Amino acid sequence: MTFDLTEGVVVLRRTPALLRTLLSDLPEGWIEATEGPGTWSPFDVVGHLIHGERTDWVPRVEHILRHGDAVPFPPFDRDAMFAASKGLTIGELLDTFAELRDDSLRRLQTFGLTEADMDRRGRHPEFGEVRLGQHLATWVVHDLTHISQIVRVLARQYSDAVGPWRAYLSVLRPDPRSLIPDP
Amino acid sequence: MTFDLTEGVVVLRRTPALLRTLLSDLPEGWIEATEGPGTWSPFDVVGHLIHGERTDWVPRVEHILRHGDAVPFPPFDRDAMFAASKGLTIGELLDTFAELRDDSLRRLQTFGLTEADMDRRGRHPEFGEVRLGQHLATWVVHDLTHISQIVRVLARQYSDAVGPWRAYLSVLRPDPRSLIPDP
């Protein structure tokens, strides 16, 4: 499927509501649950998404519009949320994410991007030349990746509770792919 | 984490709203998208969840309460939704699922299950002795598995569109575990 900005925005716009339905008022223990040492809890993931709104998605669009591929993006700090989320509740994080996403999509709209703009070049600090459309498609997939991750973390809390059904539920089996994607 | 009926119901109750937020009014093409031949679309998955409400989750609770482990569960038909969903819209499927889930949870409550009931024995047609609590935990994990599957199917539609970011998004890499869980 080719990336289409209008369609992509339809998906991006529903992420805050989705996270709220998934995580608001969940029984204690689920929000802080992880998949083991070094992996993220739903609480950590929402903090990571907040940091993406602040420093990655729209800021890198602005970066491309301003610098093209002449200046690489500043690198993304994937551990920033551990300090930034400290002392906050999941409800506060969900509210903050919803406000920031709303603001991101409003700013995105002010750029008036056309289909031709999707080919604009940017420079990624690690893998070099990228296109604006690829960056925006990544924003969509990144949301979906982390929603899928949260759902998996929740599911795995019942890994033992399901007994013999465990063998039939692929989500409970170890995933040989990396657990924390980091675009 | 030990299975707790009240907590499990909190998760089960939000699945219809979650699917609605995820799938209602999505751009054309996403609802019928799959991960390749033999894999399910979001449309197929919602049909599968509907069939589970009708023939698996509460019916098997009733089966255990009536027969214990003397009579194995009737096997579950994992292809039933291909015929049953024919000609319906995703909106109709989402409505049907929401009604059935609501009804399932109401019926579940009428059984007045206690913690001791969680140890009641049933018999699975393939893997033998199971406990009522394991069946109910599986219901929760099964919901989460299929939500995660839908999210992954959507994400993969942009596998090419993300360009070089592809290498960083684990959800886009082939999953060596089976794609369609079948408890």
Side-chain angles (χ1 to χ4, degrees), chain B residues 37-60:
Chain B
T39 66
W40 295 357
S41 67
F43 184 85
D44 297 330
V45 172
V46 178
H48 168 74
L49 292 173
I50 286 174
H51 194 66
E53 296 303 300
R54 289 197 168 124
T55 71
D56 187 331
W57 306 113
V58 169
R60 285 187 174 182

Side-chain angles (χ1 to χ4, degrees), chain A residues 3 5 8-9 11-12 15 49 52-53 56-59 61 97 100-101 103-106 108 133-145 183, chain B residues 158 162 165 169:
Chain A
F3 176 70
L5 184 56
V9 167
V11 180
L12 290 170
T15 303
L49 292 172
E53 295 303 300
D56 187 330
W57 306 114
V58 168
V61 174
F97 176 65
L100 289 171
R101 172 57 54 92
D103 187 52
S104 294
L105 296 179
R106 219 180 351 244
L108 188 67
Q134 293 169 343
H135 171 68
L136 293 168
T138 300
W139 189 5
V140 175
V141 175
H142 182 265
D143 268 25
L144 295 170
T145 295
Chain B
Y158 280 164
V162 299
W165 270 284
L169 292 156

Side-chain angles (χ1 to χ4, degrees), chain A residues 33 46-47 54 57 82 84 89 95 98 102 113-114 120 131 182:
Chain A
V46 178
R54 289 197 168 126
W57 306 114
F82 293 119
T89 65
D95 287 349
D102 205 46
L113 298 174
T114 63
R120 280 175 183 259
R131 305 294 177 125
D182 180 33

Side-chain angles (χ1 to χ4, degrees), chain A residues 1 7 14 21-22 24 30 126-127 134 138 144-145 151 157 161 165 168 170-171 173-175 177 182, chain B residues 1 7 14 21-22 24 30 126-127 134 138 144-145 151 157 161 165 168 170-171 173-175 177 182:
Chain A
M1 200 184 274
E7 291 192 1
R14 54 188 74 192
T21 308
L22 198 54
S24 286
W30 295 73
E126 283 176 57
F127 44 77
Q134 293 169 343
T138 300
L144 295 170
T145 295
V151 171
Q157 303 317 303
W165 270 283
Y168 287 70
S170 69
V171 79
R173 289 199 286 277
D175 188 343
R177 301 165 304 168
D182 180 33
Chain B
M1 199 184 274
E7 290 192 1
R14 54 188 76 192
T21 308
L22 199 53
S24 286
W30 295 73
E126 283 175 57
F127 44 76
Q134 292 169 343
T138 300
L144 294 170
T145 295
V151 170
Q157 303 316 304
W165 270 284
Y168 286 70
S170 69
V171 80
R173 289 199 285 276
D175 187 344
R177 303 164 304 169
D182 181 29

